[in-house]
Amino acid sequence: MDRFTWRTQVLSNHLNQPSMSSPLSPNPCVGFSPPELSEPFEFDTKEMRKLLDAHNLEDRDWLFGLMKQSKLFNPREAGGRVFVSPDYNQSMEQQREMTMKRIAYLLDRGVFEGWLTEKGVEAELRKLALHEVIGIYDHSLSVKLGVHFFLWGNAILFFGTKRHHDKWLRDTENYTIKGCFAMSELGHGSNVRGIETVTTYDSNTGEFVINTPCESAQKYWIGGAANHATHTIVFSQLNISGKNQGVHAFIAQIRDANGNICPNIRIADCGHKIGLNGVDNGRIWFDNVRIPRENLLNSVADVSPDGQYLSAIKDPDQRFAAFLAPLTSGRVTIAVGAIYSSQISLAIAIRYSLTRRAFSVTPKGPEVLLLDYPSHQQRLLPLLAKTYAMSFAANHLKMIYVKRTPELSKTIHVVSSAFKATLTWHNMRTLQECREACGGQGLKTENRIGPLKGEYDVQSTFEGDNNVLMQQVSKALLAEYIAAQKRSKPFKALGLEHMNKPCPVIPSQLTSSTLQSSQFQMDAFCLRERDLLTRFAMEVSERQKQGESKEYSVILSYQLAQDLGRAFSDRTILQTLLDAEAGVPSGSLKNVLAMLRSMYALICLEEDPAFLRFGYLSTDNVAAVRKEVSRLCGELRPHALALVSSFGIPDAFLSPTAFNWIDANSWSSVQH
C-alpha cells in the first residue's frame, strides 16, 4: 500500500466510527475515596499532637485561623476545599511586598505582642509557637520576622544593656523601626572572627566610625537590608588606639523614616534566589559612618568617653564566645522550622499515597494503593519515624533554650549545632523523597513540596554551615574527653555519662525482639559514639605527636569528626524519643511510639556505614537490621494516616494533592 492510500484509509477510519456491535470495554474511571473511610485511627491523634507540639496549642490554632480569614494569605479553592499558601509565581518584588503586608496584618492583630518586652518561659514559648505556625504558612515570612525579632531584637536584648532596651525594644516590637543583622560578609560567613569591617573610636566627638575597607568586607545576604530595614546591628572589628579588640556589635541607622538611604551608606540587592524571594536580602557598605558611643552594645565590653577599652572578660576567646552565645536562638528556630517543613511534605505525600493507585498484582484485579507497596513504605515510613523522633528532639532543644542558665551555655551550643545540622539535612532529604513520591503532582507549585525545597535549602548553610557545625560538635566532645582523661574524673556533660559505664556488648545474633529492645538500641548508639570519640582523640593526638598543631590535627581528622558528630546527634535524638515514650501511660499511644522509636533506631543503624566499617555490627547483624526495618514498615503502615493527622496542620495549609486530587484537576476546576 502506497503512503497516499494508507493515509486515506486512516482518515476514513477516523471519520467513520466503528460499529457499536463490538464496543471496547472501558475500565471504570479512577475515583477518589477519602482515606479516613478505610484507615481507622487506633490511637488518640489529639493526644499525639499534644506530645508533638508540646505547648501553646490554642495560640497556634488561633493564628492558623487568623491567616485563613484574610485574602492577604492567598486563599484559593481546589477540589472543593480552600487552601492558603504564598503565590510563588509572583515576581520577587511582589513577594517582598506581600511579606510586608502580611506582617502589618499580623501586627495589627497583636500576634507580636510581648515578643521582646515580656520576659519568662511562658512568653518565650508563645513567641516560638506563633513563629512556628507562621513558618508552616511561608518560610519567607518566618525568616523576615526571624531577622527582625530573633536576630536584631535578640542582639539588643542580649548584647545590649538597659539603655538599649529602653530605647529600642518597644519600637522594634511595634515595627516603628525595622531591624536587620549585618554579620556575614562577602569574604567571611561561618568564620565570624575573620570579618573585615573595621570600627574605630573618635574621642574628640565621642563617636564610633564604621568603615568597609575592601570589597570582601561588604555585608552580604543581610535579610531586610535591600528594601525595608531602617537600622542594623553591625558586627565589626573594634580598633582602639591601634589595638584590635576583636569583634563587637554596634547599632547603625541605614535608612530614615521615609525609606531614604542614610549618608555614607551604600546598599545593593542580592538579587533573585532559588527560594525565600519574599525576603529582601541586601549588601551594605559603610563609608566612615559615624554613630554615637552609646550605640555600642556593651553587655560584654564598653569604651569610655575618653577611649578606654573596658571589659570584665579579659580573655579574647572567652569574650568572643560571650558575643556569640546569644545567637543560639537562630539555630533553635531553624532546627524546629525544618521539622515542620518535613511534617508538611510527609502529610501531603502519605495522604496522596493512600488515595493514588497504580498497577494490579492479579489479572483484572484492582490497582494497588501506593502505600501498600513495600517499596513505597520503605521510602516514606522511615522518614516519618525520623520526623517524629526529631520533633521530640526539637522540643527538647526549645526547652533547654528557654530555661537556659550560664551553666547550660555549652550544652545549648553543642546540641543546637548538632540538631540544626541533622534536622535541616533530614528535611531536605524528606522534601526530595516526598516530591518524588507524589510523581507529577509534586512538580506543581500549588502542591507545596517543590517550592519548599527551594525555600528551605538555605537552612543547610545559614546560621552556620552544617559541616562546620558538626565539626564544632566533635571538637566540643574532644575537649570533654581530654578534660576527663587529664582529671581522671568521670564524664558529666553533653550526655557522655555513658562513657563511665562498661563498654556495651552487642549480641552476635540479633533477633527481632532484641532489635526492638530500647536497651539494645541505646547500647548500639553509645558503643558507636564512645568508640568514635576514642578513635578521634587518638588520631588527633597521633597527628600532634608528628608535629601538627592541634587545630590542624582536628582538620585532618575530619572524617572521624563527621562520623562522631552524627553519632552524638543520633544518640541525643534517641534519648529524647525514649523520654517522650516513658512519659506516656501504657496503651495504644505508647505502643505506636515504641514502633516509631524502633524504626528510628534501626534505620539509623542501617544507614550509617560506621556500624559496619568499625565492626560494631557484623554483616549478618546488618542484614537482620535491614529485614527488621522492612517488617516495621508493615507494622507502621496501618497507622500512617493517623500519624500524619497527629501533626495538627490544618487541611488548608497542606495542598490539593493531599485530598481530592481528581476534582482539583477536573475540567470544572479549569472553568472555575
Side-chain angles (χ1 to χ4, degrees):
M1 185 185 299
D2 61 44
R3 186 168 181 80
F4 176 79
T5 305
W6 174 77
R7 287 186 61 82
T8 301
Q9 184 172 321
V10 169
L11 288 170
S12 177
N13 289 338
H14 276 298
L15 294 171
N16 298 312
Q17 294 298 318
S19 170
M20 297 303 293
S21 59
S22 57
L24 295 174
S25 299
N27 288 323
C29 290
V30 172
F32 174 83
S33 176
E36 287 83 358
L37 299 179
S38 56
E39 303 282 333
F41 293 177
E42 296 182 20
F43 62 89
D44 190 333
T45 56
K46 291 182 179 179
E47 289 301 310
M48 184 69 90
R49 187 201 171 189
K50 289 179 183 178
L51 293 176
L52 290 171
D53 280 340
H55 59 91
N56 297 90
L57 271 68
E58 289 185 5
D59 291 319
R60 294 171 191 268
D61 291 341
W62 167 72
L63 183 50
F64 279 130
L66 272 185
M67 291 191 284
K68 286 194 290 185
Q69 290 170 14
S70 173
K71 291 185 178 180
L72 284 173
F73 292 86
N74 193 38
R76 68 195 186 286
E77 192 275 333
R81 293 174 179 267
V82 175
F83 297 94
V84 290
S85 70
D87 182 358
Y88 295 110
N89 296 313
Q90 290 181 322
S91 68
M92 179 180 74
E93 292 76 16
Q94 289 172 321
Q95 290 186 53
R96 292 177 178 181
E97 180 183 357
M98 289 306 301
T99 296
M100 292 306 296
K101 287 182 177 180
R102 288 164 184 151
I103 288 174
Y105 171 85
L106 298 175
L107 177 68
D108 288 344
R109 282 147 187 83
V111 173
F112 312 133
E113 186 176 340
W115 277 30
L116 290 171
T117 55
E118 290 184 15
K119 297 180 180 179
V121 170
E122 288 186 8
E124 199 145 17
L125 286 174
R126 178 181 181 273
K127 173 175 65 174
L128 290 170
L130 296 179
H131 188 252
E132 289 155 19
V133 169
I134 290 167
I136 288 173
Y137 171 73
D138 179 23
H139 195 211
S140 281
L141 184 55
S142 70
V143 167
K144 183 82 168 178
L145 292 168
V147 169
H148 180 74
F149 284 103
F150 292 91
L151 293 181
W152 157 269
N154 278 359
I156 293 172
L157 193 60
F158 298 130
F159 295 151
T161 51
K162 187 176 186 301
R163 73 187 189 209
H164 304 106
H165 301 165
D166 292 344
K167 183 174 181 179
W168 301 100
L169 290 183
R170 177 64 66 181
D171 284 349
T172 296
E173 191 172 284
N174 294 336
Y175 263 88
T176 303
I177 61 171
K178 303 176 184 71
C180 64
F181 190 81
M183 176 181 277
S184 296
E185 297 178 355
L186 178 61
H188 291 87
S190 295
N191 181 17
V192 177
R193 271 193 168 174
I195 61 176
E196 298 171 291
T197 302
V198 176
T199 297
T200 56
Y201 180 67
D202 185 345
S203 57
N204 294 322
T205 62
E207 295 173 312
F208 288 108
V209 183
I210 306 174
N211 190 50
T212 303
C214 53
E215 288 296 349
S216 58
Q218 64 180 275
K219 295 298 181 181
Y220 212 96
W221 290 124
I222 311 306
N227 296 129
H228 304 129
T230 58
H231 294 73
T232 188
I233 302 294
V234 185
F235 282 82
S236 168
Q237 305 290 348
L238 175 58
N239 194 309
I240 300 293
S241 302
K243 182 178 180 181
N244 183 14
Q245 298 291 350
V247 176
H248 290 66
F250 305 84
I251 297 173
Q253 186 168 358
I254 59 175
R255 285 186 179 86
D256 63 23
N258 297 318
N260 302 308
I261 296 174
C262 294
N264 299 334
I265 299 281
R266 289 176 286 148
I267 296 178
D269 203 310
C270 285
H272 196 273
K273 308 180 290 289
I274 64 172
L276 288 181
N277 284 299
V279 180
D280 52 316
N281 293 92
R283 303 145 62 193
I284 310 174
W285 292 257
F286 300 90
D287 299 326
N288 294 317
V289 174
R290 289 181 170 267
I291 61 171
R293 183 182 68 88
E294 293 76 16
N295 282 20
L296 168 65
L297 295 174
N298 63 339
S299 66
V300 175
D302 206 349
V303 174
S304 66
D306 63 351
Q308 299 298 310
Y309 184 76
L310 310 169
S311 179
I313 305 174
K314 302 304 179 184
D315 183 276
D317 291 338
Q318 293 180 8
R319 199 159 60 231
F320 180 71
F323 272 119
L324 294 188
L327 303 182
T328 305
S329 65
R331 291 196 292 273
V332 173
T333 56
I334 289 169
V336 175
I339 287 307
Y340 280 106
S341 168
S342 295
Q343 290 183 5
I344 294 167
S345 62
L346 283 164
I348 294 169
I350 286 176
R351 290 190 70 93
Y352 182 65
S353 71
L354 289 168
T355 60
R356 177 65 188 250
R357 297 175 179 272
F359 306 104
S360 55
V361 294
T362 59
K364 297 184 180 181
E367 291 186 288
V368 178
L369 285 173
L370 294 184
L371 201 60
D372 284 337
Y373 284 101
S375 59
H376 210 77
Q377 295 171 13
Q378 179 81 40
R379 294 172 68 181
L380 296 178
L381 299 186
L383 292 175
L384 179 61
K386 279 191 166 187
T387 298
Y388 260 79
M390 293 178 189
S391 296
F392 294 120
N395 288 336
H396 168 72
L397 176 59
K398 278 192 289 186
M399 295 312 296
I400 62 172
Y401 173 72
V402 299
K403 297 179 179 179
R404 59 193 175 276
T405 62
E407 294 74 25
L408 278 176
S409 293
K410 178 172 64 176
T411 298
I412 294 172
H413 169 70
V414 175
V415 174
S416 66
S417 297
F419 284 6
K420 186 267 183 183
T422 302
L423 274 57
T424 57
W425 274 330
H426 165 76
N427 180 43
M428 292 310 299
R429 178 185 171 191
T430 301
L431 287 169
Q432 181 62 31
E433 195 65 63
C434 289
R435 207 298 296 157
E436 293 180 26
C438 290
Q441 293 299 314
L443 290 175
K444 300 178 71 173
T445 55
E446 72 173 11
N447 288 326
R448 298 209 68 187
I449 299 175
L452 288 178
K453 287 171 55 185
E455 291 285 298
Y456 280 86
D457 201 337
V458 67
Q459 287 194 335
S460 300
T461 49
F462 76 174
E463 296 285 328
D465 176 277
N466 282 357
N467 288 284
V468 174
L469 289 178
M470 284 304 237
Q471 290 184 25
Q472 289 183 12
V473 170
S474 297
K475 288 171 69 174
L477 296 173
L478 177 62
E480 288 296 316
Y481 182 91
I482 293 172
Q485 295 293 314
K486 283 184 178 179
R487 296 192 308 263
S488 296
K489 291 185 177 181
F491 291 89
K492 57 179 182 179
L494 302 179
L496 293 176
E497 290 83 357
H498 67 87
M499 300 275 289
N500 303 322
K501 302 175 183 178
C503 184
V505 177
I506 303 299
S508 57
Q509 290 193 340
L510 297 177
T511 64
S512 178
S513 60
T514 301
L515 288 168
Q516 294 200 47
S517 158
S518 60
Q519 185 63 56
F520 159 75
Q521 293 159 7
M522 186 54 78
D523 281 350
F525 279 38
C526 289
L527 173 62
R528 172 182 53 163
E529 185 180 22
R530 73 187 294 155
D531 181 68
L532 288 171
L533 179 50
T534 303
R535 288 174 184 271
F536 183 48
M538 291 175 62
E539 186 169 307
V540 169
S541 176
E542 190 61 34
R543 293 184 189 280
Q544 287 181 273
K545 290 177 183 177
Q546 296 172 4
E548 302 289 0
S549 68
K550 180 181 178 181
E551 189 66 30
Y552 193 50
S553 296
V554 170
I555 291 172
L556 290 174
S557 303
Y558 71 95
Q559 290 178 317
L560 281 171
Q562 292 293 90
D563 289 344
L564 176 58
R566 178 177 184 172
F568 169 83
S569 188
D570 288 352
R571 190 261 307 158
T572 308
I573 292 169
L574 178 59
Q575 186 61 59
T576 66
L577 182 48
L578 283 166
D579 292 343
E581 184 184 343
V584 176
S586 297
S588 56
L589 194 63
K590 192 180 188 76
N591 294 339
V592 171
L593 285 173
M595 272 188 269
L596 291 166
R597 183 248 306 151
S598 289
M599 176 65 90
Y600 169 74
L602 296 183
I603 199 66
C604 286
L605 296 185
E606 182 181 356
E607 291 178 345
D608 187 0
F611 283 100
L612 196 56
R613 180 186 297 128
F614 298 111
Y616 313 138
L617 296 177
S618 67
T619 53
D620 286 345
N621 282 346
V622 170
V625 168
R626 191 179 196 196
K627 183 178 180 180
E628 190 67 18
V629 167
S630 178
R631 199 184 68 78
L632 279 169
C633 283
E635 285 193 6
L636 280 171
R637 160 63 184 88
H639 304 291
L641 181 62
L643 287 169
V644 296
S645 298
S646 298
F647 292 152
I649 301 171
D651 295 353
F653 291 79
L654 297 178
S655 74
T657 298
F659 300 98
N660 194 336
W661 44 272
I662 295 178
D663 277 2
N665 288 281
S666 66
W667 178 247
S668 62
S669 71
V670 176
Q671 294 175 309
H672 176 72

